[in-house]
Amino acid sequence: MHSELVTADQLQIAPARRRRDVIIRYTLVVTALVSVVVSALIVWSLLREAWTFITEVMWADTWGQQGWFPRRGLYDLPTIIVPSLIITGVAMVVAGPLGLGAAVYLSEYANPRVRSWLKPALEILAGIPSVVLGFFALTWIAPNIVGRIGKTTFLVIGAAILLVYAAVSAGIARAKIKQYREGAADPSARIGAVASIAVLVVAFALAAAWTLNVWLNFAPNNAGSLAAAGIGVGILVIPLVASISEDAMAAVPDSLREASAGLGARKRTTATTVVLPAAISGIAAAFIVAISRAVGETMVVFMAAGAADAARFTDSPFEGGLTMTAAMASLASGTDSVVGEGLTFQSLYFVGLMLFVITLSLNIIASRFVSKVREAY
């Protein structure tokens, strides 16, 4: 049987197809460059106006003043930073256990039929507009949950959180002590171990002092408060923690579960000692994403935190306060009088730059942590 020889010309790509490939390649390059340019322009606009604020503001007046009153030239940064941290902390206290618990149930306990409808139902929560959750936090969470928390209840909640922190810190401290003993010939390892334990102890002391101070000055109200806004934000980020954590645990090979079961371990033991440690990188990423989302949330805290466009300093979750995002939203939602009021306009960009630096730092820390503890299967 005679077959024709294939020539080099026949192996060449058709000119029309080659032109389409070139067009598609350059189109994709342009779209990638557009996203980079847009990001660069955003950062440049933040830096340009924020630099004006940084160079012209009296930095002695940004700490220990009456509060955040930008139209009067008062820019007390702790007034907007501390409430942001409080709301983020409350949100993670709500979203962390609930989201992680939901992820463990979906990954390890739920049968396929239950999981097929429960996970989409949980993810629907992420589609609820934040303005709806803000209204819910203001009209229901504030009077029915925060308003009914008594002094004893707060002390019990605070003590429970401190005990959990102490237990986790003790485990970390034991590992650091082991690292200290094993790193006798490495001074940097010993210094790192001592510094880590010192940070844990100082953080516990500060948290205990803050809890005691809030308890002594406890005065809940039925209006908007940082606690109500924090619970609302926590509900908002539960789907993030649950979905990403569940995906990370689902990626753990079944062979590890089968090996654990073969050794006689119960499902609870397998979930806590095998699956969770194996999926720690994804779980850490879930928490970092949730924290970034909580720090950057605007509408819920704008409606439910209990402050308008100005506020005095507070460190109590049961009082109204102003977060960084709410400060930007409330000030920018005013009139054109924002321009020309000293550094009021530039303060918006400075607060935005702080938010950018915080979220960027969180992502860098998460990336380094995930790359350090990631397990490849």
Side-chain angles (χ1 to χ4, degrees):
M1 181 177 179
H2 179 70
S3 59
E4 295 182 358
L5 295 177
V6 179
T7 63
D9 293 337
Q10 292 174 329
L11 293 175
Q12 292 182 354
I13 301 175
R17 182 179 177 183
R18 185 184 297 111
R19 285 194 297 269
R20 286 196 301 270
D21 291 343
V22 172
I23 292 173
I24 292 174
R25 182 172 68 250
Y26 281 105
T27 300
L28 295 177
V29 170
V30 169
T31 55
L33 289 177
V34 166
S35 62
V36 173
V37 170
V38 170
S39 301
L41 290 175
I42 292 174
V43 175
W44 167 249
S45 65
L46 284 176
L47 289 174
R48 183 182 59 184
E49 298 295 342
W51 182 252
T52 302
F53 181 88
I54 292 172
T55 55
E56 296 186 12
V57 73
M58 297 292 295
W59 283 98
D61 297 334
T62 61
W63 194 278
Q65 299 300 309
Q66 299 178 10
W68 181 263
F69 300 96
R71 298 184 187 277
R72 292 162 48 187
L74 298 176
Y75 309 101
D76 185 51
L77 295 180
T79 301
I80 59 175
I81 294 176
V82 172
S84 299
L85 298 178
I86 291 175
I87 288 180
T88 302
V90 173
M92 294 312 299
V93 167
V94 173
L98 293 179
L100 189 57
V104 172
Y105 174 75
L106 290 173
S107 175
E108 305 302 316
Y109 291 92
N111 59 58
R113 184 178 179 181
V114 173
R115 185 179 180 277
S116 65
W117 65 264
L118 185 57
K119 186 174 181 180
L122 180 64
E123 292 177 345
I124 287 176
L125 189 62
I128 298 177
S130 58
V131 64
V132 175
L133 279 174
F135 183 76
F136 175 71
L138 180 63
T139 59
W140 195 87
I141 294 178
N144 293 288
I145 296 181
V146 178
R148 294 184 180 181
I149 293 178
K151 198 171 185 178
T152 303
T153 304
F154 171 76
L155 184 61
V156 171
I157 294 174
I161 294 174
L162 289 174
L163 287 175
V164 171
Y165 174 86
V168 174
S169 299
I172 298 175
R174 283 196 296 268
K176 293 299 180 180
I177 291 174
K178 182 179 179 181
Q179 177 183 350
Y180 178 87
R181 292 173 178 173
E182 294 177 350
D186 186 0
S188 61
R190 302 182 66 177
I191 294 174
V194 173
S196 300
I197 296 175
V199 169
L200 292 173
V201 173
V202 171
F204 179 83
L206 292 176
W210 175 79
T211 303
L212 180 61
N213 178 66
V214 174
W215 180 73
L216 293 174
N217 299 282
F218 186 86
N221 59 76
N222 294 330
S225 62
L226 298 178
I231 295 174
V233 175
I235 296 174
L236 189 66
V237 300
I238 285 176
L240 283 175
V241 178
S243 181
I244 301 177
S245 298
E246 195 275 335
D247 290 339
M249 286 185 282
V252 176
D254 290 335
S255 58
L256 295 181
R257 298 179 176 88
E258 294 168 356
S260 178
L263 293 174
R266 293 178 294 179
K267 187 177 289 291
R268 176 172 62 92
T269 304
T270 300
T272 55
T273 62
V274 176
V275 178
L276 286 178
I280 188 63
S281 60
I283 295 173
F287 274 77
I288 294 297
V289 171
I291 292 173
S292 300
R293 179 71 174 85
V295 171
E297 173 55 34
T298 302
M299 188 53 64
V300 175
V301 299
F302 182 70
M303 298 179 63
D309 60 345
R312 293 186 179 276
F313 175 80
T314 180
D315 61 353
S316 173
F318 298 99
E319 297 179 3
L322 194 64
T323 65
M324 290 186 285
T325 53
M328 294 179 65
S330 59
L331 192 59
S333 62
T335 63
D336 292 339
S337 61
V338 173
V339 181
E341 292 286 338
L343 296 174
T344 304
F345 181 72
Q346 286 75 18
S347 68
L348 294 174
Y349 288 87
F350 178 73
V351 176
L353 181 62
M354 285 198 301
L355 284 171
F356 174 77
V357 171
I358 290 173
T359 54
L360 179 62
S361 301
L362 287 174
N363 281 277
I364 292 175
I365 293 172
S367 178
R368 295 189 62 181
F369 179 79
V370 169
S371 63
K372 183 178 180 181
V373 302
R374 176 179 294 165
E375 298 287 346
Y377 300 102

